[in-house]
Amino acid sequence: MAAAMARGLRDDVDAMLFTDSGSGRAEALAEELGGEAVDTNRELAERADVVILAVKPAKLAEAAAEMRGAKAVVSLLGATSLDTVREAFPSSEVVRVMPNVGVEVRRGVLCMAGVADAELRSLLEGLGHLVELPDSEFDAATAVMGCAPAYLALAVEAIAEAGAADGLDPALAHELVVETAAGTAELLRDRDPAELRRAVASPGGSTEAGLEALDREGAREAFAAAVRASLERMRG
């Protein structure tokens, strides 16, 4: 997710620094985005105006010990409260952010807890739709907006594959479904989902038949189960 944010921010910042635990991803990202891979977390914290913290939660204390004095920290750590990160970085401005992968193309959803200064807030808003939430609601929000791109991608894949199975060129089927999904998302900004379903599904028509099939196969229950499973894993 940090890589997706970096790709979305590439034109909004003067420079980007990257570091990792030896995986090589920092160097690859630096080469891709025109940034710089540095050798240590300490160097990154000393040179950066804002640190995007994307380590495994179990590594928080270790990372914080190396990055004492960081000016501002944006925590992407899952299942790790804002207070926990603030305790690890007592002298830093800290906010908790959970973005989804759409930030890579500046159309993401970002949930934020904590108070960001005007400059940091502007950077985050440039990545998509920023929503301020109480820290206690982050798990539920993550199960909805953080995981949902994968669920929606599965739906697009399944519909496109069904079209291809009936003779459409696979690339064309994919294009048709993706563009339909994009237009539908725009409509859903202003229209209730049930209203939109009714507008498309005329009585006795092919869309109504498809919706009835989805009900028989338990589509709604399957998506609800996916959200519950994500929550259970985060809280497990």
Side-chain angles (χ1 to χ4, degrees):
M1 198 56 69
M5 288 185 70
R7 293 184 180 107
L9 289 168
R10 65 190 303 173
D11 295 326
D12 291 344
V13 295
D14 295 330
M16 283 192 284
L17 307 174
F18 303 96
T19 187
D20 60 36
S21 58
S23 67
R25 285 178 291 183
E27 188 171 343
L29 263 177
E31 184 174 347
E32 174 191 343
L33 301 177
E36 179 186 350
V38 297
D39 292 331
T40 66
N41 288 336
R42 186 178 306 279
E43 181 182 357
L44 186 143
E46 289 173 351
R47 294 175 57 188
D49 293 321
V50 178
V51 171
I52 307 296
L53 185 67
V55 300
K56 292 187 180 298
K59 295 288 187 179
L60 173 59
E62 179 182 335
E66 297 169 347
M67 305 176 86
R68 297 286 185 192
K71 300 178 183 70
V73 175
V74 176
S75 170
L76 305 189
L77 275 60
T80 306
S81 71
L82 178 62
D83 285 344
T84 297
V85 183
R86 280 176 170 162
E87 289 172 7
F89 290 90
S91 63
S92 305
E93 173 192 353
V94 177
V95 296
R96 183 183 180 189
V97 173
M98 179 53 66
N100 65 21
V101 71
V103 295
E104 184 167 319
V105 292
R106 302 174 67 83
R107 291 295 303 272
V109 175
L110 304 93
C111 296
M112 182 181 77
V115 179
D117 64 26
E119 185 175 2
L120 176 54
R121 187 183 183 90
S122 178
L123 281 176
L124 295 173
E125 288 176 337
L127 293 172
H129 185 66
L130 183 66
V131 178
E132 294 187 51
L133 284 182
D135 196 56
S136 60
E137 296 181 10
F138 258 62
D139 286 351
T142 301
V144 173
M145 49 69 66
C147 303
Y151 309 151
L152 297 174
L154 177 61
V156 166
E157 183 180 38
I159 296 168
E161 285 179 351
D166 201 49
L168 281 177
D169 175 78
L172 174 60
H174 177 80
E175 177 185 350
L176 292 174
V177 180
V178 168
E179 294 303 324
T180 299
T184 303
E186 289 299 316
L187 287 169
L188 287 170
R189 291 179 183 276
D190 300 312
R191 299 179 70 171
D192 179 78
E195 175 198 345
L196 185 55
R197 289 200 306 276
R198 289 193 297 269
V200 178
S202 56
S206 58
T207 303
E208 184 180 69
L211 288 171
E212 289 172 351
L214 287 171
D215 282 341
R216 286 196 304 273
E217 297 298 323
R220 183 186 293 271
E221 290 78 8
F223 281 115
V227 173
R228 290 195 299 270
S230 295
L231 275 168
E232 289 170 7
R233 180 64 57 86
M234 279 184 281
R235 293 169 176 170

